[in-house]
Amino acid sequence: MARTERVLSVFLASPSDVSEERLKLREIVADLNAVYARNLGCRLELLSWETDSYPSAGKDPQDVINHQLSDDYDIFIGVMWHRVGTPTKRSASGTMEEFERAKQRFDKDPESVRIMFYFKDEAVPPSQLDPNQLKKVQKFRAGLGKEGVLYWSFAQTEEFGDLARLHLERQVWSMLKEEASCTDSNAITINPSRNEEVTGTSEQRNPNEDIDSDLEMLDFLEIVEDEFANLTAIAERINSATEEIGTKIEARTQEIQTATTLASAFSAKEVKRLVSRVANDLSQYSRRMEAEVPLLAEAQRKGFTAVMHSINLPSEFSESNSDGLPEAIATAMALSIGMAGAKESMSSFSESLEGVPNLTSEFKKAKKSVILVLSQLVGEFSSGEKLLQEILRLLDVRFSNVPQTRTDPKADDTSSRGKLF
């Protein structure tokens, strides 16, 4: 039997230097469609010039794209790194022109389009760097605040994927709830002009038909509990190891200071021996932390993915079986505090270590290794904190009846421009 499938179109605007992010967004849309089509009768349609335009003629190539893709989309996603792109006759680049058109739509009718913009903060290879292009990106980025646009920053493609997935889900659920509040019927119509008839089962469907039993929700919650416990244990191990190395370094430093002060009693060889002991302590700490990096990344990925899957269960099922969610959220918030503490201790230790002079080549190598692994761990914790906050924000939209506790009173301050922590 034919049924009506709600189509939400997503327009992607970006220069050529973020091709990996473009591919990642396609993966995300495909993944989300597997959930939305099954549970909500809703589908995301990703529009971009390389897949939805075709050879034609106009004032310039961008003019052709503008006419072929038009402005009939629901969500605009912009991504930039170190290039703005090729200039057009109307704007500094095609990407900027596409954003300007979306912003004009929003200014005329804020309900007509949702705007999401991302900037990549990863270092640029010197061979690819064009200072003029980078300057234009920085100028455009600085001007977005004046335009009233809250942008988000990311360091790596995987982080972009996690953030974009959560943000897209928030947009979809927000639109569904808003539309539901405007109709007396159970059917929700999003952008009626783009509704399509598809072959399949009727929309009047049992919300549990794709779920074997309550065990599916319990499975997800069990994964969340296990992986959050792993994350807590990892954070505690890192804190303990960092405190331990800090105590050792303090003791070694005192020994070295004593040795250099009493130069007549200590030879250069003796001082070097003490420095070698410090280098050895640092190397051991570095190896311990290197072992924690993949464990931390894997536990975060599994735990947060399980939370997102539980959120994406059909609304009638998950809302009536979400007794475990508040507890999971409370655990997540406690975890956030532990992660913040671990990150702070590592950042502090790294800063203090950077100020220590390179007394020997061995010490220099060990110091460099520690600073590098600390940077990796801090990056993982920062990404985890970001995702955790976005999950909680998504829950605000998805489950308005689920109580939540926030650790950061400024978490909803839009002046942060995406910097939540």
Side-chain angles (χ1 to χ4, degrees), residues 39-156:
N39 298 330
L40 300 175
C42 175
R43 177 168 57 86
L44 297 177
E45 176 187 48
L46 185 61
L47 305 175
S48 61
W49 68 267
E50 70 264 43
T51 57
D52 296 281
S53 60
Y54 48 87
S56 187
K59 297 178 181 178
D60 56 32
Q62 184 61 46
D63 181 59
V64 174
I65 294 173
N66 292 343
H67 282 88
Q68 290 181 358
L69 300 186
S70 73
D71 293 330
D72 186 22
Y73 50 79
D74 303 282
I75 301 172
F76 174 93
I77 298 180
V79 186
M80 279 190 182
W81 183 13
H82 58 88
R83 297 184 58 82
V84 293
T86 305
T88 71
K89 294 182 179 180
R90 295 158 299 282
S91 185
S93 76
T95 300
M96 292 178 67
E97 181 174 337
E98 288 162 351
F99 165 76
E100 290 160 1
R101 289 167 66 92
K103 187 61 169 58
Q104 288 173 3
R105 279 185 60 197
F106 179 86
D107 290 340
K108 291 180 181 178
D109 179 9
E111 301 299 321
S112 65
V113 62
R114 309 292 181 98
I115 296 178
M116 300 161 58
F117 218 103
Y118 299 86
F119 289 93
K120 189 172 185 177
D121 276 342
E122 189 176 34
V124 183
S127 60
Q128 299 179 17
L129 181 61
D130 182 334
N132 291 329
Q133 284 280 317
L134 181 59
K135 185 177 180 180
K136 290 179 180 179
V137 171
Q138 293 171 337
K139 181 179 179 180
F140 174 68
R141 178 173 180 165
L144 284 185
K146 298 178 182 179
E147 295 283 342
V149 177
L150 175 69
Y151 62 78
W152 231 255
S153 300
F154 65 94
Q156 299 176 339

Side-chain angles (χ1 to χ4, degrees), residues 215-236:
L215 189 61
E216 184 167 332
M217 172 64 81
L218 297 177
D219 283 341
F220 287 136
L221 293 179
E222 182 181 21
I223 293 172
V224 172
E225 181 179 343
D226 289 345
E227 298 306 329
F228 281 7
N230 286 340
L231 286 171
T232 300
I234 291 170
E236 290 175 351

Side-chain angles (χ1 to χ4, degrees), residues 282-317:
L282 290 175
S283 295
Q284 290 182 4
Y285 173 78
S286 175
R287 287 192 290 271
R288 288 179 65 179
M289 294 301 98
E290 287 173 356
E292 299 289 4
V293 173
L295 298 178
L296 174 63
E298 182 71 2
Q300 287 190 155
R301 183 188 66 79
K302 288 183 177 179
F304 295 147
T305 298
V307 173
M308 287 186 281
H309 277 305
S310 65
I311 293 171
N312 279 328
L313 290 174
S315 59
E316 295 89 342
F317 171 80

Side-chain angles (χ1 to χ4, degrees), residues 23-44:
L23 291 174
K24 177 59 65 174
L25 189 60
R26 291 203 169 277
E27 293 177 11
I28 292 168
V29 168
D31 289 344
L32 292 179
N33 278 338
V35 174
Y36 294 151
R38 183 188 72 172
N39 298 330
L40 300 175
C42 175
R43 177 168 57 86
L44 297 177

